[in-house]
């Protein structure tokens, strides 16, 4: 029982560290937070996914997706990392869409034509 409680505390600390990065001022911080959150956040943990979405914001996810497609810019070396940005954005968007209220939001629905490209 103590092991489970300790693992849950570690999970919460990891998530808090990721959320701090996701709220960062620089794109590099947000990218690092997204990469880490894919390792720590469970797909069935809707409350954590909601916190991630609120922290990173729809505008950044939109820019990340557009940069991955070659249509936008992230404030780092975007051209050399386009495939990685596209893969990360699709992975994160797919995970976030497991939360019904995020999946049905206007922000997510507006991304459908971009993803279909």
């Amino acid at each position: 029982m103590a092991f489970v409680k300790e693992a849950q505390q570690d999970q919460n600390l990891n998530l808090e560290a990721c959320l701090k990065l996701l709220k960062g001022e620089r794109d590099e911080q947000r990218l690092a937070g997204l990469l880490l959150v894919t390792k720590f956040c469970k797909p069935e943990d809707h409350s954590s996914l909601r916190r991630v979405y609120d922290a990173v914001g729809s505008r950044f996810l939109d820019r990340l997706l557009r940069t991955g497609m070659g249509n936008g810019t992230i404030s780092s070396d975007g051209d050399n990392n386009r495939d990685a940005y596209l893969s990360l954005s699709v992975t994160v968007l797919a995970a976030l869409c497991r939360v019904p209220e995020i999946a049905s939001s206007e922000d997510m629905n507006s991304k459908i034509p971009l993803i279909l490209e």
Side-chain angles (χ1 to χ4, degrees), residues 40-103:
F40 298 124
C41 208
K42 303 279 189 257
E44 65 277 356
D45 186 357
H46 288 195
S47 67
S48 293
L49 289 171
R50 183 67 205 195
R51 291 178 69 198
V52 166
Y53 181 70
D54 291 340
V56 74
S58 177
R59 287 181 53 208
F60 179 78
L61 293 172
D62 190 57
R63 283 192 304 129
L64 182 61
L65 179 60
R66 289 178 186 278
T67 299
M69 296 174 63
N71 300 330
T73 58
I74 295 286
S75 61
S76 66
D77 194 8
D79 286 338
N80 293 335
N81 298 311
R82 267 198 355 222
D83 289 342
Y85 291 154
L86 184 58
S87 178
L88 178 61
S89 65
V90 170
T91 299
V92 170
L93 289 170
L96 292 173
C97 284
R98 293 175 186 259
V99 181
E101 62 265 13
I102 294 173

Side-chain angles (χ1 to χ4, degrees), residues 19-36:
L19 292 174
K20 185 175 180 180
L21 287 169
L22 292 172
K23 293 176 184 177
E25 293 180 16
R26 296 187 335 263
D27 288 343
E28 293 82 1
Q29 292 171 306
R30 291 178 177 175
L31 287 170
L34 283 177
L35 288 169
L36 289 171

